[in-house]
């Protein structure tokens, strides 16, 4: 294959590779629509770099296939390039969907990799004007792309989880790169804007958020003056020798070339292609009683049968029993003292994960039958056992599969996870993969990202949806506008169908908020529901405790939502208006192609009207579905008028 050219492409982006001297070089990334190519004539830039692994000494084998990750994703074209050097192997995978511009690059290692690499701090400016010295450090690099451009603007997006501590979940920075020195930055999403050429490259570092990374790098992206655009950190700790297998999870990146204004939409479309199986199950609304802070105290057969009956009336698609259905007790139990959280379950009781016979004397069979009769799915909370670095992952998988087979449990909330090294990551991924595979794809997962070191928003995203926040009126940390802001900010980068977002019983703990104008009790229950309607609504409450009036109002808005839910599952939802802060005009647009939906909010604003700049809706017909307010379609947007603060309006637009 010496002196062989390889073009890996979709209909929009082409990756130009070349094999020379046994090395795989990147000759450039092309925007096929404009013909512009990120390249540098005469460059000999290897596509990737793994310290201690010499490509030129390795044998190379190329295979191609069509793959959908065992039904989790849409069909993708895949090229695998296997490098074999004695007893070590590095497998490069290139993956793309035909009608989306993004190309994914990932690695798997097998054998012993790594060596001691002396850490060096970044050099400081000395004030002496000399030629800049090259950095001699070996850095593991996922992706190198040559460029001859000198002038870039870089948009960096940081996505934050550990939401028990973080309330601003998206941070954006924009930088005009100083061309004299390499520009390095950390984040998850990047738009590299060659603004003089009106061309851009968008890059996603498919890794956990910073706090969740087992093996991190000094930076994620480097833009080097007229030389290269690079992504560092393959997700392996190469500062020490370790054994790897092809099952060891590593990081990946996805990139696309095109016009800056088109790439974020393409990224969201790409994300949806990756989670096609989850979307096929619908953008479900779920109830979970934990939000009322009775924890496991109320959970029993009679109580849950009542919740299922309420859920049927209130339009939920799934009832999820949180911590408390099982025989064993966790540190969050109100019924027994326990220090167990995330580990030690089987050591404390081999039958820890059997159904609590006192609470459920007939097992979960009556619960399963009631959900089936109501046309509702059943979900359960589960915490994998961290003991000995998830040594019991096979037993955990068998527990989940048994619950699925016995009681038709359709999805599990995975909680209490903490990832400490590559072994814990490998075993947790193996547990999830086995359950998916052996259930025939009938089990999905709801990953809690509220605490500890977890996978976050971009990593393993094909496997299910995300439980994003714990918020409680008891702790005075639930505000409807705050949850609305979380959805609004995330929706630009994460499909809202991925996000399970909460609303609560607004009448609880009203006295704790005092005279706060943004207190939950000042809002209608339908408004609180509307804030999360375009995501996966989480009824974070004991539904049987709702007032008759709130139940009636909620049942109506939920019935409206369920009628449009099939459209929302695949819609491109984006934020409109101003960022929510409790006093803004804000909302969402759900684009379904020739039609779509608008959710507009007047928060606690002193003004009664606002102009939403949405030029794509010019000439569209608007049909009111729920809420209150009036709209006027103008040439470049919509004027929305609402007479009352804390109002919302749901509209359908069509030709």
């Amino acid at each position: 294959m010496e002196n062989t050219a390889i073009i890996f492409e979709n209909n929009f982006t082409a990756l130009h590779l070349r094999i020379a001297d046994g090395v795989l070089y990147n000759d450039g990334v092309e925007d096929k629509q404009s013909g512009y190519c990120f390249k540098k004539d005469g460059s000999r830039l290897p596509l990737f770099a793994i310290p201690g692994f010499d490509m030129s000494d390795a044998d190379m084998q190329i295979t191609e296939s069509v793959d959908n990750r065992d039904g989790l994703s849409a069909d993708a074209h895949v090229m695998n390039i296997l490098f074999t050097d004695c007893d070590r192997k590095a497998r490069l995978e290139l993956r793309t969907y035909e009608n989306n511009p993004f190309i994914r690059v990932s690695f798997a290692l097998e054998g012993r990799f790594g060596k001691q690499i002396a850490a060096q701090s970044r050099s400081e400016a000395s004030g002496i004007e000399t030629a800049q010295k090259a950095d001699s450090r070996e850095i593991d690099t996922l992706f190198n792309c040559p460029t001859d451009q000198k002038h870039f603007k870089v948009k960096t997006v940081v996505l934050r989880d550990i939401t028990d501590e973080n309330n601003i979940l998206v941070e954006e920075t924009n930088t005009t790169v100083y061309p004299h020195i390499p520009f390095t930055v950390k984040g998850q999403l990047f738009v590299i804007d060659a603004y003089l050429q009106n061309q851009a490259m968008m890059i996603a570092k498919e890794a956990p958020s910073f706090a969740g990374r087992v093996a991190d790098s000094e930076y994620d992206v480097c833009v080097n003056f007229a030389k290269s655009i690079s992504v560092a950190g393959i997700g392996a700790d190469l500062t020490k020798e370790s054994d790897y297998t092809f099952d060891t999870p590593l990081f990946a990146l996805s990139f696309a070339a095109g016009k800056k204004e088109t790439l974020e939409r393409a990224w969201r479309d790409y994300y949806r292609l990756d989670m096609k199986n989850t979307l096929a199950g619908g953008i479900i609304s779920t109830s979970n009683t934990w939000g009322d802070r009775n924890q496991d105290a109320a959970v029993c057969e009679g109580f849950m049968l009542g919740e299922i009956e309420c859920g049927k009336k209130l339009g939920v698609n799934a009832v999820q029993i949180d911590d408390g259905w099982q025989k064993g007790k966790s540190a969050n139990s109100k019924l027994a003292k326990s220090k167990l959280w995330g580990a030690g379950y089987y050591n404390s009781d081999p039958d820890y994960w059997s159904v609590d016979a006192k609470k459920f004397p007939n097992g979960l069979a009556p619960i399963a039958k009631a959900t089936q009769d109501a046309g509702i799915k059943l979900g359960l909370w589960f915490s994998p056992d961290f003991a000995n670095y998830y040594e019991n992952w096979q037993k955990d998988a068998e527990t989940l599969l048994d619950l699925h087979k016995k009681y038709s449990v359709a999805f599990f909330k995975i909680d209490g996870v903490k990832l400490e090294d590559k072994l814990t990551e490998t075993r947790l991924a193996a547990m999830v993969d086995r359950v998916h595979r052996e259930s025939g794809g009938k089990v999905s997962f709801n990953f809690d990202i509220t605490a500890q070191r977890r996978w976050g928003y971009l990593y393993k995203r094909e496997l299910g949806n995300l439980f994003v926040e714990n918020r409680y009126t008891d702790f005075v940390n639930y505000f409807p506008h705050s949850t609305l802001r979380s959805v609004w900010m995330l929706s630009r980068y994460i499909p809202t169908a991925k996000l399970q977002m909460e609303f609560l019983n607004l009448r609880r703990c009203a006295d704790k908020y005092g005279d706060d104008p943004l207190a939950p009790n000042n809002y209608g229950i339908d408004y609180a529901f509307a804030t999360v309607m375009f995501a996966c609504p989480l009824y974070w409450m004991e539904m049987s405790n709702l007032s008759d009036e709130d139940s009636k109002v909620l049942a109506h808005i939920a019935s409206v939502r369920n009628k449009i839910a099939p459209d929302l599952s695949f819609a491109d939802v984006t934020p409109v208006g101003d960022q929510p802060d409790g006093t803004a005009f804000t909302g969402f647009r759900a684009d379904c192609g020739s039609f779509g939906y608008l959710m507009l909010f007047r928060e606690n604003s002193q003004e009664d009207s606002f102009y939403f700049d949405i030029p794509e809706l010019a000439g569209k017909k608007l049909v009111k579905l729920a809420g209150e307010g009036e709209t006027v379609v103008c040439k470049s947007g919509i004027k929305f008028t609402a007479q009352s603060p804390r109002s919302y309006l749901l509209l359908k637009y069509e030709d």
Side-chain angles (χ1 to χ4, degrees), residues 196-233:
L196 297 182
Q197 286 70 38
N198 191 26
Q199 290 289 151
M201 182 187 300
M202 186 170 179
I203 295 171
K205 176 79 176 280
E206 298 188 16
S209 303
F210 299 152
R213 296 183 185 180
V214 169
D216 205 1
S217 50
E218 180 184 338
Y219 60 85
D220 290 312
V221 163
C222 176
V223 179
N224 203 345
F225 173 70
K227 291 182 180 179
S228 64
I229 300 167
S230 301
V231 179

Short mmCIF file of all heavy atoms in Angstrom, two decimals, residues 196-233:
data_model
loop_
_atom_site.label_atom_id
_atom_site.label_comp_id
_atom_site.label_asym_id
_atom_site.label_seq_id
_atom_site.Cartn_x
_atom_site.Cartn_y
_atom_site.Cartn_z
N LEU A 196 -11.25 34.62 6.97
CA LEU A 196 -10.90 35.32 5.73
C LEU A 196 -11.33 34.53 4.51
O LEU A 196 -11.56 35.09 3.44
CB LEU A 196 -9.39 35.59 5.67
CG LEU A 196 -8.82 36.51 6.76
CD1 LEU A 196 -7.32 36.71 6.53
CD2 LEU A 196 -9.54 37.85 6.77
N GLN A 197 -11.44 33.21 4.66
CA GLN A 197 -11.88 32.35 3.57
C GLN A 197 -13.36 31.97 3.68
O GLN A 197 -13.88 31.25 2.82
CB GLN A 197 -11.04 31.05 3.54
CG GLN A 197 -9.63 31.23 3.03
CD GLN A 197 -8.75 32.01 4.00
OE1 GLN A 197 -8.87 31.84 5.22
NE2 GLN A 197 -7.90 32.86 3.48
N ASN A 198 -14.04 32.43 4.74
CA ASN A 198 -15.44 32.07 4.99
C ASN A 198 -15.61 30.56 5.03
O ASN A 198 -16.55 30.00 4.46
CB ASN A 198 -16.37 32.69 3.94
CG ASN A 198 -17.84 32.54 4.32
OD1 ASN A 198 -18.19 32.45 5.50
ND2 ASN A 198 -18.71 32.51 3.31
N GLN A 199 -14.68 29.89 5.69
CA GLN A 199 -14.71 28.44 5.84
C GLN A 199 -14.47 28.08 7.30
O GLN A 199 -13.81 28.84 8.02
CB GLN A 199 -13.63 27.77 4.99
CG GLN A 199 -13.88 27.82 3.50
CD GLN A 199 -15.02 26.93 3.04
OE1 GLN A 199 -15.70 27.21 2.05
NE2 GLN A 199 -15.25 25.85 3.75
N ALA A 200 -14.99 26.95 7.70
CA ALA A 200 -14.84 26.55 9.10
C ALA A 200 -14.75 25.04 9.21
O ALA A 200 -15.15 24.29 8.31
CB ALA A 200 -16.01 27.07 9.93
N MET A 201 -14.19 24.61 10.33
CA MET A 201 -14.20 23.20 10.71
C MET A 201 -14.76 23.11 12.12
O MET A 201 -14.33 23.84 13.01
CB MET A 201 -12.78 22.61 10.66
CG MET A 201 -12.74 21.12 11.00
SD MET A 201 -11.04 20.45 11.13
CE MET A 201 -10.41 20.79 9.49
N MET A 202 -15.74 22.24 12.30
CA MET A 202 -16.28 22.01 13.64
C MET A 202 -15.74 20.68 14.14
O MET A 202 -15.71 19.68 13.41
CB MET A 202 -17.80 22.00 13.66
CG MET A 202 -18.38 21.89 15.06
SD MET A 202 -20.17 22.17 15.10
CE MET A 202 -20.48 21.95 16.86
N ILE A 203 -15.29 20.66 15.40
CA ILE A 203 -14.69 19.48 16.00
C ILE A 203 -15.41 19.18 17.31
O ILE A 203 -15.66 20.08 18.11
CB ILE A 203 -13.19 19.69 16.27
CG1 ILE A 203 -12.43 19.88 14.96
CG2 ILE A 203 -12.61 18.53 17.07
CD1 ILE A 203 -10.98 20.30 15.14
N ALA A 204 -15.75 17.92 17.51
CA ALA A 204 -16.30 17.46 18.79
C ALA A 204 -15.31 16.48 19.42
O ALA A 204 -14.97 15.48 18.79
CB ALA A 204 -17.65 16.79 18.59
N LYS A 205 -14.84 16.78 20.62
CA LYS A 205 -14.01 15.84 21.36
C LYS A 205 -14.96 14.94 22.13
O LYS A 205 -15.59 15.34 23.11
CB LYS A 205 -13.09 16.60 22.32
CG LYS A 205 -12.22 15.71 23.22
CD LYS A 205 -11.02 15.17 22.51
CE LYS A 205 -10.11 14.36 23.46
NZ LYS A 205 -9.24 15.20 24.30
N GLU A 206 -15.07 13.71 21.67
CA GLU A 206 -16.04 12.78 22.24
C GLU A 206 -15.43 12.12 23.47
O GLU A 206 -14.97 10.98 23.44
CB GLU A 206 -16.46 11.76 21.18
CG GLU A 206 -17.16 12.43 20.00
CD GLU A 206 -17.76 11.43 19.04
OE1 GLU A 206 -17.91 10.25 19.41
OE2 GLU A 206 -18.08 11.82 17.90
N ALA A 207 -15.44 12.87 24.54
CA ALA A 207 -14.88 12.46 25.81
C ALA A 207 -15.83 12.94 26.91
O ALA A 207 -16.66 13.81 26.68
CB ALA A 207 -13.49 13.08 26.01
N PRO A 208 -15.73 12.37 28.11
CA PRO A 208 -16.51 12.91 29.22
C PRO A 208 -16.15 14.38 29.47
O PRO A 208 -15.12 14.88 29.01
CB PRO A 208 -16.09 12.03 30.41
CG PRO A 208 -15.62 10.76 29.78
CD PRO A 208 -14.96 11.18 28.49
N SER A 209 -17.01 15.06 30.22
CA SER A 209 -16.68 16.40 30.66
C SER A 209 -15.41 16.34 31.50
O SER A 209 -15.00 15.28 31.95
CB SER A 209 -17.84 16.99 31.46
OG SER A 209 -19.02 16.99 30.67
N PHE A 210 -14.78 17.50 31.71
CA PHE A 210 -13.46 17.51 32.36
C PHE A 210 -13.41 16.65 33.62
O PHE A 210 -12.48 15.86 33.82
CB PHE A 210 -13.06 18.94 32.73
CG PHE A 210 -12.95 19.88 31.56
CD1 PHE A 210 -13.18 21.23 31.72
CD2 PHE A 210 -12.62 19.41 30.29
CE1 PHE A 210 -13.08 22.10 30.65
CE2 PHE A 210 -12.52 20.27 29.22
CZ PHE A 210 -12.75 21.62 29.39
N ALA A 211 -14.40 16.82 34.48
CA ALA A 211 -14.37 16.14 35.77
C ALA A 211 -14.55 14.63 35.63
O ALA A 211 -14.27 13.89 36.57
CB ALA A 211 -15.45 16.72 36.68
N GLY A 212 -15.01 14.18 34.48
CA GLY A 212 -15.27 12.76 34.31
C GLY A 212 -14.19 12.00 33.57
O GLY A 212 -14.30 10.79 33.36
N ARG A 213 -13.11 12.68 33.20
CA ARG A 213 -12.08 12.03 32.38
C ARG A 213 -11.10 11.25 33.25
O ARG A 213 -10.45 11.81 34.12
CB ARG A 213 -11.34 13.06 31.54
CG ARG A 213 -12.25 13.75 30.53
CD ARG A 213 -11.47 14.73 29.66
NE ARG A 213 -12.38 15.47 28.79
CZ ARG A 213 -11.99 16.40 27.93
NH1 ARG A 213 -10.70 16.70 27.82
NH2 ARG A 213 -12.87 17.03 27.18
N VAL A 214 -11.00 9.97 32.97
CA VAL A 214 -10.04 9.13 33.68
C VAL A 214 -8.62 9.48 33.26
O VAL A 214 -7.71 9.57 34.08
CB VAL A 214 -10.34 7.65 33.41
CG1 VAL A 214 -9.21 6.77 33.90
CG2 VAL A 214 -11.66 7.26 34.09
N ALA A 215 -8.40 9.67 31.98
CA ALA A 215 -7.08 10.04 31.45
C ALA A 215 -7.27 11.31 30.62
O ALA A 215 -7.91 11.28 29.58
CB ALA A 215 -6.50 8.92 30.60
N ASP A 216 -6.71 12.41 31.09
CA ASP A 216 -6.93 13.68 30.42
C ASP A 216 -5.64 14.16 29.78
O ASP A 216 -4.55 13.63 30.02
CB ASP A 216 -7.44 14.72 31.41
CG ASP A 216 -8.25 15.82 30.74
OD1 ASP A 216 -8.42 15.77 29.50
OD2 ASP A 216 -8.71 16.73 31.44
N SER A 217 -5.76 15.18 28.96
CA SER A 217 -4.61 15.78 28.28
C SER A 217 -4.49 17.24 28.71
O SER A 217 -5.45 17.83 29.21
CB SER A 217 -4.78 15.68 26.76
OG SER A 217 -6.05 16.15 26.36
N GLU A 218 -3.32 17.82 28.47
CA GLU A 218 -3.09 19.21 28.85
C GLU A 218 -4.03 20.15 28.10
O GLU A 218 -4.48 21.16 28.63
CB GLU A 218 -1.64 19.59 28.57
CG GLU A 218 -1.28 21.02 28.92
CD GLU A 218 0.14 21.39 28.54
OE1 GLU A 218 0.97 20.47 28.41
OE2 GLU A 218 0.40 22.59 28.37
N TYR A 219 -4.31 19.82 26.87
CA TYR A 219 -5.25 20.60 26.06
C TYR A 219 -6.02 19.64 25.18
O TYR A 219 -5.67 18.46 25.03
CB TYR A 219 -4.52 21.65 25.21
CG TYR A 219 -3.52 21.07 24.24
CD1 TYR A 219 -3.92 20.61 22.98
CD2 TYR A 219 -2.16 20.98 24.56
CE1 TYR A 219 -3.00 20.08 22.09
CE2 TYR A 219 -1.24 20.45 23.68
CZ TYR A 219 -1.67 20.00 22.44
OH TYR A 219 -0.77 19.46 21.56
N ASP A 220 -7.09 20.13 24.57
CA ASP A 220 -7.88 19.30 23.65
C ASP A 220 -7.62 19.68 22.20
O ASP A 220 -7.44 18.81 21.36
CB ASP A 220 -9.38 19.44 23.97
CG ASP A 220 -9.74 18.78 25.28
OD1 ASP A 220 -9.32 17.63 25.49
OD2 ASP A 220 -10.43 19.41 26.11
N VAL A 221 -7.60 20.96 21.91
CA VAL A 221 -7.38 21.43 20.54
C VAL A 221 -6.20 22.39 20.52
O VAL A 221 -6.04 23.22 21.43
CB VAL A 221 -8.64 22.11 19.97
CG1 VAL A 221 -8.33 22.96 18.75
CG2 VAL A 221 -9.70 21.06 19.60
N CYS A 222 -5.37 22.25 19.48
CA CYS A 222 -4.27 23.18 19.25
C CYS A 222 -4.35 23.70 17.82
O CYS A 222 -4.43 22.91 16.87
CB CYS A 222 -2.92 22.47 19.47
SG CYS A 222 -1.48 23.51 19.09
N VAL A 223 -4.38 25.02 17.67
CA VAL A 223 -4.31 25.65 16.35
C VAL A 223 -2.92 26.27 16.24
O VAL A 223 -2.59 27.21 16.97
CB VAL A 223 -5.41 26.72 16.18
CG1 VAL A 223 -5.30 27.37 14.80
CG2 VAL A 223 -6.80 26.10 16.37
N ASN A 224 -2.13 25.72 15.34
CA ASN A 224 -0.72 26.11 15.22
C ASN A 224 -0.54 26.96 13.97
O ASN A 224 -0.94 26.55 12.86
CB ASN A 224 0.17 24.87 15.15
CG ASN A 224 1.59 25.16 15.58
OD1 ASN A 224 1.99 26.31 15.68
ND2 ASN A 224 2.35 24.11 15.84
N PHE A 225 0.04 28.11 14.16
CA PHE A 225 0.24 29.12 13.12
C PHE A 225 0.70 28.51 11.79
O PHE A 225 1.81 28.00 11.68
CB PHE A 225 1.27 30.12 13.65
CG PHE A 225 1.73 31.16 12.67
CD1 PHE A 225 0.89 32.16 12.24
CD2 PHE A 225 3.03 31.13 12.19
CE1 PHE A 225 1.33 33.13 11.37
CE2 PHE A 225 3.48 32.09 11.31
CZ PHE A 225 2.62 33.10 10.88
N ALA A 226 -0.18 28.54 10.78
CA ALA A 226 0.13 28.10 9.41
C ALA A 226 0.72 26.69 9.35
O ALA A 226 1.49 26.37 8.44
CB ALA A 226 1.07 29.09 8.74
N LYS A 227 0.35 25.84 10.31
CA LYS A 227 0.89 24.49 10.33
C LYS A 227 -0.20 23.43 10.45
O LYS A 227 -0.35 22.58 9.57
CB LYS A 227 1.90 24.32 11.47
CG LYS A 227 3.19 25.08 11.29
CD LYS A 227 4.14 24.82 12.44
CE LYS A 227 5.46 25.58 12.27
NZ LYS A 227 6.38 25.34 13.43
N SER A 228 -0.96 23.49 11.55
CA SER A 228 -1.87 22.37 11.79
C SER A 228 -3.00 22.74 12.74
O SER A 228 -2.90 23.70 13.52
CB SER A 228 -1.10 21.18 12.37
OG SER A 228 -0.57 21.51 13.64
N ILE A 229 -4.05 21.92 12.66
CA ILE A 229 -5.12 21.90 13.66
C ILE A 229 -5.09 20.49 14.25
O ILE A 229 -5.19 19.50 13.51
CB ILE A 229 -6.49 22.18 13.02
CG1 ILE A 229 -6.51 23.56 12.36
CG2 ILE A 229 -7.61 22.05 14.04
CD1 ILE A 229 -7.70 23.78 11.44
N SER A 230 -4.91 20.40 15.57
CA SER A 230 -4.72 19.09 16.19
C SER A 230 -5.68 18.90 17.36
O SER A 230 -6.09 19.86 18.02
CB SER A 230 -3.28 18.94 16.71
OG SER A 230 -2.35 19.08 15.67
N VAL A 231 -6.01 17.63 17.62
CA VAL A 231 -6.81 17.25 18.78
C VAL A 231 -6.00 16.25 19.59
O VAL A 231 -5.61 15.20 19.08
CB VAL A 231 -8.16 16.63 18.37
CG1 VAL A 231 -8.96 16.24 19.61
CG2 VAL A 231 -8.95 17.61 17.51
N ALA A 232 -5.72 16.59 20.84
CA ALA A 232 -4.85 15.76 21.69
C ALA A 232 -5.68 14.92 22.64
O ALA A 232 -6.81 15.26 22.99
CB ALA A 232 -3.90 16.65 22.47
N GLY A 233 -5.07 13.81 23.09
CA GLY A 233 -5.66 12.99 24.14
C GLY A 233 -6.55 11.89 23.62
O GLY A 233 -7.72 12.12 23.32
#
